[in-house]
Each structure stands twice: as structure tokens, then as C-alpha cells.
Amino acid sequence: VQLVESGGGLVQAGGSLRLACAASAGVFGSNTMGWYRQAPGKQRELVATINNGGSTTYADSVKGRFTISRDGFKNTVYLQMNRLKPEDTAVYHCNMHMNWTGVDYWGQGTQVTVSS
């Protein structure tokens, strides 16, 4: 399974960006897709996840500002990021977790930079 992210970039504080992550064809089985981020000098952290049924989880730091969604037919997950803050600056990685096998797939990452 290959995950390809798009939509990162440079934005001013208070602005918005939308990330997308498309999985290659041939994904079968229950899975949870999500976004993680890693800022320089920090550990990778969970941003948001969404499962096949549409249930979502969010990090406290992004609740009310970010929205995760998915297109099940296309195995594509989106992250709408509003009211961005400089502390949101990081490389954002897409993840697909296969619920039955426990296997994780990762995208290459997309840079999000929020200027103050």
C-alpha cells in the first residue's frame, strides 16, 4: 500500500490548509486512517484519526480547528486545518492502520509551515 500526501505549504497564522492522502488501489479490510505530525526536535504526535465507520479522534491541541474526513470508495483521507497557529508547523504524515493485522503504512510526509 502506498500513501501519497498533498496540500502542504506556507500559510500565515489564522489561515487554512487542506491536506489529502490517497491510498493506492487494492486496500482491503477494516482500517483506520489518520494524520500525525512531527516538528523539529520533537516526537511524532497524533493529530486525528478516522475509521471505516467514520468515528474520529483528535488531539486536544487541534480540536475545534481541524476536521478529518474520508472518502471510503477512494481510500482517501482529508485534513481540513483552520485557524492555523505557528505551533502547528510540522511535517504531516498520513497513516493507514490495518485493524485486523496491526500493520501500519505511512506516507512520505508533507510540510506545513505557519508564519506568525
Side-chain angles (χ1 to χ4, degrees):
V1 176
Q2 287 187 318
L3 303 177
V4 180
E5 299 119 332
S6 60
L10 173 64
V11 65
Q12 287 189 329
S16 299
L17 283 174
R18 188 186 192 217
L19 306 182
C21 171
S24 59
V27 177
F28 301 100
S30 173
N31 61 76
T32 299
M33 296 188 76
W35 292 92
Y36 292 71
R37 66 187 182 188
Q38 187 166 19
K42 295 187 177 181
Q43 290 189 330
R44 186 174 294 187
E45 63 175 1
L46 169 73
V47 178
T49 66
I50 184 167
N51 64 17
N52 291 102
S55 295
T56 59
T57 62
Y58 292 94
D60 288 342
S61 58
V62 306
K63 282 181 181 177
R65 300 188 298 122
F66 291 9
T67 303
I68 190 169
S69 60
R70 68 185 291 171
D71 182 331
F73 292 104
K74 297 181 180 179
N75 272 321
T76 300
V77 65
Y78 305 94
L79 186 67
Q80 178 67 44
M81 304 185 293
N82 298 327
R83 304 202 314 273
L84 282 160
K85 304 175 180 180
E87 50 264 44
D88 294 319
T89 295
V91 176
Y92 283 69
H93 295 269
C94 178
N95 168 266
M96 175 179 283
H97 176 76
M98 305 306 294
N99 296 331
W100 292 344
T101 64
V103 175
D104 281 290
Y105 299 98
W106 293 92
Q108 79 286 355
T110 185
Q111 178 70 47
V112 171
T113 302
V114 184
S115 62
S116 57

